[in-house]
Amino acid sequence: MRPTLQTVADAVGVSRSTVSNAYGRPDQLSPELREKILEAARRIGYAGPNPTARSLRRGRAGAIGVLFTPTLSYAFTDPYAVEFLRGLAETAENHRTGLLLVPLGADDEGALSAVREASVDGFCVYCVPGWYRAMSAALARGLPMVNSEYQGELYVGIDEAAATRAVGEHLTTLGHRRFAVIGTYIGTDPETGPTTVGAPEDLPSYVSRERLRGYRDAFAAAGVPWPDVMTVNAATNTREDGAAAAAYALDRDPHPTALVATTDVLALGALDALRERGLRAGADVSVTGFDDVPAAAGAGLTTVRQPAYERGRIAGELLLDPPDDPARRRVTLDTELVVRPSTGPAPV
Amino acid sequence: MRPTLQTVADAVGVSRSTVSNAYGRPDQLSPELREKILEAARRIGYAGPNPTARSLRRGRAGAIGVLFTPTLSYAFTDPYAVEFLRGLAETAENHRTGLLLVPLGADDEGALSAVREASVDGFCVYCVPGWYRAMSAALARGLPMVNSEYQGELYVGIDEAAATRAVGEHLTTLGHRRFAVIGTYIGTDPETGPTTVGAPEDLPSYVSRERLRGYRDAFAAAGVPWPDVMTVNAATNTREDGAAAAAYALDRDPHPTALVATTDVLALGALDALRERGLRAGADVSVTGFDDVPAAAGAGLTTVRQPAYERGRIAGELLLDPPDDPARRRVTLDTELVVRPSTGPAPV
DNA sequence: TTGAAAGCGTTACCAC
DNA sequence: GTGGTAACGCTTTCAA
């Protein structure tokens, strides 16, 4: 049987409380006794108080739960997500708090129970669509929760629509008038392919909705009504699906002169699709992304820089050390349009 | 006060056990009663059994602890580590198990308590030097532990020395005879700069030790004794420190014709240093790395490909579903020398 | 099908 | 400085 506090207490001939104090409140007993207890523990093979029992008793788990878009492993394929996590991890570490990556899995029921079974003091929700039931389950736990997408009590985000509006204006200024928008969660069915988005406002995913709003407004300002804009859904936020979605757009006749993707990963895929067809980015077709992931610079991709690391860091801060002033619990960070060679004047 | 099982039991007029069954063993009570209980819970605002209490009672935490090289956030800056984590996350998810990233922090004492306070069912230790006390603390917990570096009961790794021997032979075959080895944890002091490694066998870090052994053996076979090989320590596994270490080597006269780094990240930094000096990689100076991270291909870096994702996946498998056959609990994966333009014949 | 009782391993409070 | 006692919130026999 594994040793417990009691085992050690018996061995030394003191009470449980004293052993407990030896670990948690060294000032409550004499250094000699403490050393004697620790020594006995070592001899017996007692590795210290059981963390779960301690958590239960103390009412604090010592970890915050991280909810990521359905599959956990996906988080690590997305360079933006990795940066976000890095910021979050840093804050957590400073607060001596663990990060529990919650295994949402593919099925809804599993995700629900995973959220309900997570021993955490709060949740950081990232990139989980609002209609996903796991979100409500997390909310129901009644724990602090910071969300980068919805406007909750704790919030850190960017003005998504303003950012994409800037991208759209950049393109219309360059003379573009035929656009294709490539994004995830913008289709009625989850396949990669053309779709019709009546109005961006109706989209269930916050990020897609806001970003599309921005594009639409910019295009409309240049006289291009939304129904004339091609929209292509990407099943997942991967380079492959980005390429497939772009392929669809490029194979129309006439094809769009500008491909605007809602993420860099999709945009990088779009560049792949251009290359395959011998089209020159920025000359034959312009391409834009969003996020400014590390690979974007190398690919010469015009995009929106958003502070991923900062966003993660602040999310952690909000969760672990919320400001007293409610107003400061809602943070909006700045973004910046980064123009690179993937965009250029519309071909005549 | 937060509602508990009892609150719900009282509200419905049943016992705690029945409410517990409603959640954990639906087959133990009538569907009607169950629905009635769940409904009451919803009304009261009870989000389901407290995960910590459940863990305590069941004796299972439902998570595995991940121990990463001192700073947690570092894990996310290292592309190899991210791939490893992705594999681990996938396995964990399949087993409906969480991943607890343990906040080791910078100081030793903090790391110890972090390890002792982690509510987990096992540990996956990655890239934590053996002399780091957190390792012993993890060991002392008496939980299953998989280590990619040391030969424990559960092990998944590669033949590090054989892999670097192949790199060394590649270079000696190309005619190189003046080498500089750049690596982390190879210096007596933790600064970036020249150091003397009497014998690789004496290094405290398993990975560095093994990798240097391989280089030494290959160089020796070509008639270059170890003391003639320049060794430069890199304080951290970052591109910056790789560049700084390479700078030192390149600024000697005569400088080495080949820079062998123990990781790709360091090697990419070395390429930066070459570029700064107007030296051509593969022509003036050859450079090699280790890992084959995504950026290595783009940089034309000769390196050793090792299955990072697979390594993480298997680590998880070993922890969560250990094979009955003890022999199969120790896995060694294959590596492959990938030759790219960063290596070429030694200049005459 | 339901309920009573006995822990799981701790910590906090309050006497001594 | 030390030790009793009572929770923390749950699950699990076992008996009804």
Side-chain angles (χ1 to χ4, degrees):
Chain A
M1 210 197 60
R2 298 179 69 82
T4 70
L5 259 191
Q6 189 65 256
T7 323
V8 179
D10 292 347
V12 183
V14 294
S15 78
R16 285 208 302 261
S17 327
T18 305
V19 179
S20 176
N21 283 335
Y23 284 96
R25 311 187 155 184
D27 51 314
Q28 297 292 300
L29 68 175
S30 65
E32 300 79 47
L33 179 55
R34 173 158 194 259
E35 194 38 62
K36 193 169 149 194
I37 290 174
L38 261 29
E39 158 58 25
R42 220 170 294 136
R43 182 160 36 78
I44 293 172
Y46 176 71
N50 177 312
T52 307
R54 174 175 272 197
S55 289
L56 175 59
R57 183 57 237 233
R58 286 192 169 158
R60 160 167 197 288
I64 66 184
V66 182
L67 264 39
F68 255 91
T69 212
T71 354
L72 185 52
S73 57
Y74 163 77
F76 295 103
T77 66
D78 182 351
Y80 174 74
V82 167
E83 270 300 282
F84 181 92
L85 274 179
R86 189 167 70 81
L88 186 62
E90 182 150 321
T91 311
E93 191 153 51
N94 291 341
H95 291 259
R96 302 176 165 284
T97 299
L99 236 42
L100 180 70
L101 307 183
V102 179
L104 291 185
D107 70 300
D108 206 46
E109 213 49 56
L112 279 180
S113 66
V115 168
R116 287 201 278 248
E117 304 227 335
S119 290
V120 296
D121 302 317
F123 284 108
C124 175
V125 180
Y126 172 77
C127 203
V128 176
W131 34 266
Y132 201 67
R133 283 169 58 209
M135 266 287 297
S136 344
L139 231 29
R141 287 281 300 269
L143 298 171
M145 166 160 136
V146 56
N147 197 308
S148 308
E149 308 192 352
Y150 307 90
Q151 313 267 329
E153 215 257 314
L154 263 26
Y155 166 84
V156 51
I158 56 175
D159 189 337
E160 311 273 0
T164 50
R165 203 179 315 122
V167 173
E169 283 163 4
H170 167 63
L171 290 168
T172 56
T173 303
L174 286 169
H176 292 274
R177 290 297 179 273
R178 290 204 312 279
F179 302 98
V181 175
I182 298 172
T184 51
Y185 296 129
I186 67 171
T188 39
D189 80 321
E191 301 293 294
T192 294
T195 185
T196 302
V197 179
E201 278 76 4
D202 298 336
L203 289 174
S205 154
Y206 173 81
V207 170
S208 294
R209 177 170 67 234
E210 292 299 303
R211 295 194 183 168
L212 261 58
R213 278 211 308 124
Y215 292 130
R216 184 210 41 205
D217 292 351
F219 299 158
V224 180
W226 184 241
D228 290 358
V229 175
M230 183 184 303
T231 44
V232 190
N233 186 55
T236 63
N237 184 40
T238 56
R239 202 157 166 154
E240 290 70 31
D241 277 328
Y248 172 83
L250 295 172
D251 293 343
R252 296 314 95 190
D253 186 20
H255 62 65
T257 64
L259 265 29
V260 303
T262 56
T263 71
D264 279 355
V265 172
L266 293 174
L268 291 170
L271 291 176
D272 293 340
L274 284 193
R275 208 170 302 118
E276 251 172 41
R277 286 164 179 70
L279 294 166
R280 293 159 306 158
D284 302 317
V285 175
S286 288
V287 176
T288 66
F290 201 108
D291 289 340
D292 199 25
V293 302
L301 182 67
T302 292
T303 187
V304 173
R305 174 174 306 151
Q306 66 158 319
Y309 165 82
E310 199 65 6
R311 223 168 140 164
R313 198 185 60 71
I314 293 176
E317 219 65 74
L318 253 24
L319 224 35
L320 263 16
D321 189 20
D324 293 325
D325 177 6
R328 295 189 46 223
R329 299 198 199 121
R330 312 178 43 75
V331 180
T332 300
L333 299 171
D334 286 336
T335 59
E336 181 194 352
L337 176 67
V338 181
V339 177
R340 298 206 182 91
S342 75
T343 49
V348 278
Chain B
M1 210 199 61
R2 298 177 70 81
T4 70
L5 260 191
Q6 189 66 258
T7 322
V8 180
D10 292 346
V12 184
V14 295
S15 78
R16 286 210 302 259
S17 332
T18 304
V19 179
S20 175
N21 283 334
Y23 284 96
R25 311 186 153 183
D27 51 316
Q28 298 290 300
L29 71 175
S30 66
E32 301 79 49
L33 180 54
R34 173 157 194 260
E35 194 36 63
K36 194 170 147 193
I37 291 174
L38 262 31
E39 159 57 26
R42 218 169 296 136
R43 183 160 36 77
I44 294 171
Y46 177 71
N50 177 312
T52 306
R54 173 176 274 198
S55 288
L56 176 59
R57 181 59 235 234
R58 286 194 169 154
R60 159 169 199 289
I64 67 186
V66 183
L67 263 39
F68 255 93
T69 212
T71 354
L72 186 53
S73 56
Y74 163 77
F76 296 104
T77 67
D78 182 353
Y80 174 75
V82 168
E83 271 299 281
F84 181 93
L85 275 179
R86 189 169 68 83
L88 185 62
E90 183 151 320
T91 312
E93 190 152 53
N94 290 341
H95 289 261
R96 302 176 163 286
T97 299
L99 237 42
L100 180 70
L101 307 183
V102 180
L104 292 184
D107 71 301
D108 207 46
E109 213 47 57
L112 280 179
S113 67
V115 167
R116 288 202 276 250
E117 303 226 339
S119 290
V120 296
D121 302 317
F123 283 107
C124 176
V125 179
Y126 172 77
C127 203
V128 176
W131 35 266
Y132 202 66
R133 285 169 57 208
M135 266 286 297
S136 343
L139 230 30
R141 288 280 301 268
L143 297 171
M145 165 160 137
V146 57
N147 196 307
S148 308
E149 308 191 353
Y150 306 89
Q151 313 268 328
E153 216 255 314
L154 263 28
Y155 166 84
V156 51
I158 57 174
D159 188 336
E160 311 272 359
T164 49
R165 204 179 313 123
V167 173
E169 284 163 4
H170 166 64
L171 290 169
T172 56
T173 303
L174 286 169
H176 292 274
R177 290 296 180 274
R178 290 204 311 280
F179 302 98
V181 175
I182 298 171
T184 51
Y185 296 130
I186 67 172
T188 38
D189 82 320
E191 300 294 293
T192 295
T195 186
T196 302
V197 179
E201 278 77 4
D202 298 335
L203 290 174
S205 155
Y206 172 81
V207 169
S208 293
R209 177 168 68 232
E210 293 299 304
R211 294 193 183 169
L212 262 57
R213 278 212 306 125
Y215 292 131
R216 183 209 42 201
D217 293 350
F219 298 158
V224 179
W226 184 241
D228 291 359
V229 176
M230 183 185 300
T231 45
V232 189
N233 186 55
T236 63
N237 184 40
T238 55
R239 202 156 166 155
E240 291 69 32
D241 278 328
Y248 171 83
L250 295 172
D251 293 344
R252 295 316 95 189
D253 185 21
H255 63 64
T257 63
L259 265 31
V260 303
T262 57
T263 70
D264 280 355
V265 172
L266 293 174
L268 292 169
L271 291 176
D272 292 341
L274 285 194
R275 209 171 301 119
E276 252 172 40
R277 286 163 178 69
L279 293 167
R280 294 159 304 157
D284 301 318
V285 176
S286 287
V287 176
T288 66
F290 201 109
D291 289 340
D292 198 26
V293 302
L301 181 67
T302 292
T303 189
V304 172
R305 174 174 306 151
Q306 66 157 318
Y309 166 82
E310 198 66 4
R311 224 169 140 164
R313 198 185 60 70
I314 293 176
E317 217 67 74
L318 252 25
L319 225 35
L320 265 12
D321 189 19
D324 294 325
D325 177 6
R328 295 188 49 223
R329 299 197 200 121
R330 308 179 45 76
V331 181
T332 300
L333 300 172
D334 287 336
T335 60
E336 181 194 353
L337 175 67
V338 182
V339 178
R340 298 207 180 89
S342 76
T343 50
V348 277

